[in-house]
Amino acid sequence: MLNTVNRLMARLFSSAFLLTASGYTLAEGGERSTINMPIGVTPISQDVYGLHMDIFWWCVGIGVVVFGVMFYSMIVHRKANGAKAANFHDSLALEVTWTILPFVILIIMAIPATKSLINLYDTSESEVDVVVTGYQWYWGYEYLDQDVSFFSRLSTPQEQIRNEAPKGENYLLEVDEPLVIPINKKIRFLVTSNDVIHAWWVPDFAVKRDAIPGYINESWAKVEKPGLYRGVCAELCGKDHGFMPIVVKAVPEAEYETWLADRREQAQKIKELAKKTFTLEELMAQGEQVYGQACLACHGANGEGGVGKAIAGSPIATGDIAAHLDIVVNGSSVNPAMAAFKDTLSEVDTAAVITYQRNAFGNNTGELVQPIDILKFKQGK
């Protein structure tokens, strides 16, 4: 009996040690641990990781003491050794001890945890402010006071999603436009939603905030190492919940300022393009790209429909242009899954995708929509 219990205890503790050690090693090394949280690349993420490991080892120590006393009592004071059970009603000293001791331990744990929580929620003195808005199913980013905003959508090829091609290294974690931030600057994230509840989660930053319509939740990060950091929506937000990844690109400040200037220049060019008259070929080429980003997931690669209605032969896509503009710009009041694109697509992209829908998939109406038409429609002219 004694040998059996000893072997069992040895296996239990050796397995626990190897599991903990391997997780700790992977977290410290270049590979991400599959059994432990990441250390991260921000002071707060490293603080959270340190708190996590401290509390973990406290729990391990408590477990060793409790189970050690329990196994010692079962082995040394077993009936086979002639031990006789003590007969007493209660022990005031013992009851006071096991009441006060856990209370003291919790207080000791609460002190560093409270410090970390206060630091986690301190978004004051930020140097860059970014509004993060969740949409079904992508993210919008706006840099306050910088006149820069854009949308970040999944860019994993549809062939991989449909299992027609091998999966890439970052399957379902790729976007067309990453969020770009400077390193060594305090970045404040103002997280909200345009439709349903989402959650913006980047593990390497120790940032996870719910995106709730009508509310703004704050968080912050100060990234110390350049690189690409990936995350996902962590709130079940609909059928394509798994298709709205987050990619943050942290770069040196000089590179960030150059990128910011380029984005402002691009925004100005888009405004100027809204006044340009495009050919059918130009609109079709641009519209095909926009369709692949914004429409394909619901309406099908060939306009055959799926979650959304078919574009091929659609009475909307082949009928009155005003009705077509209205449903793309303002969405559908009957079917909430058909979102409004007035804020998420530029006039150029809206004109291009509507032209594409009216002339692709066998529709062939020959009708064009120009960016100025979209601008006038939005203005009610």
Side-chain angles (χ1 to χ4, degrees), residues 163-231:
N163 294 318
E164 296 173 356
K167 302 289 191 289
E169 179 183 357
N170 295 306
Y171 176 66
L172 295 185
L173 292 175
E174 304 154 307
V175 299
D176 55 356
E177 292 278 0
L179 174 65
V180 179
I181 59 173
I183 60 172
N184 300 319
K185 295 279 188 180
K186 187 171 184 177
I187 316 296
R188 181 173 63 149
F189 302 109
L190 305 167
V191 184
T192 187
S193 173
N194 183 66
D195 35 53
V196 300
I197 298 177
H198 303 276
W200 201 77
W201 179 41
V202 182
D204 284 310
F205 296 174
V207 171
K208 181 179 179 290
R209 282 291 178 271
D210 283 343
I212 304 172
Y215 291 85
I216 294 179
N217 290 323
E218 297 184 17
S219 189
W220 69 277
K222 187 175 183 180
V223 182
E224 298 176 325
K225 294 170 57 179
L228 281 176
Y229 304 102
R230 303 180 189 274

Side-chain angles (χ1 to χ4, degrees), residues 76-145:
V76 176
H77 299 292
R78 66 189 189 276
K79 186 177 180 180
N81 280 356
K84 294 183 179 180
N87 186 10
F88 61 90
H89 183 262
D90 55 33
S91 171
L92 180 60
L94 187 59
E95 291 186 1
V96 170
T97 301
W98 70 37
T99 300
I100 293 179
L101 188 59
F103 179 76
V104 172
I105 292 172
L106 287 176
I107 293 297
I108 294 173
M109 290 180 174
I111 293 172
T114 302
K115 290 180 180 178
S116 296
L117 278 175
I118 292 173
N119 192 23
L120 188 68
Y121 285 96
D122 181 15
T123 60
S124 62
E125 300 181 0
S126 61
E127 297 168 276
V128 178
D129 296 324
V130 181
V131 178
V132 179
T133 306
Y135 295 83
Q136 288 183 309
W137 287 275
Y138 49 91
W139 296 98
Y141 300 112
E142 178 184 356
Y143 294 72
L144 294 184
D145 302 323

